[in-house]
Amino acid sequence: MNKLQFALAQIRAIKQRDPSLKSTVEILFFPGFRALNTWYTSHKLYLKGHYALARFLSLRA
């Protein structure tokens, strides 16, 4: 699963489970959505051996 597929799946899940968020734009600015995408990116970097960059991203999130 690539990053775009992951993000689209998260948007669909959030739309189904959170009635307070009405549109995709609201979801894109939702802090939890950004945190999940940052985690996904840092996890992929960690698996590729970029430990320092993955740590930096996770601490930044």
Side-chain angles (χ1 to χ4, degrees):
M1 179 181 293
N2 65 23
K3 187 172 179 161
L4 181 61
Q5 290 173 338
F6 179 78
L8 291 174
Q10 291 303 314
I11 288 172
R12 279 192 299 270
I14 291 170
K15 276 186 178 180
Q16 290 173 355
R17 297 177 185 151
D18 192 349
S20 68
L21 298 171
K22 305 286 187 233
S23 69
T24 304
V25 174
E26 284 182 306
I27 294 171
L28 292 175
F29 290 109
F30 187 60
F33 177 74
R34 289 191 318 237
L36 278 172
N37 283 315
T38 303
W39 170 83
Y40 182 79
T41 303
S42 63
H43 182 67
K44 291 292 183 181
L45 286 170
Y46 183 83
L47 292 177
K48 290 182 180 182
H50 302 288
Y51 306 117
L53 186 56
R55 172 67 73 177
F56 175 77
L57 274 178
S58 68
L59 292 175
R60 183 92 171 107

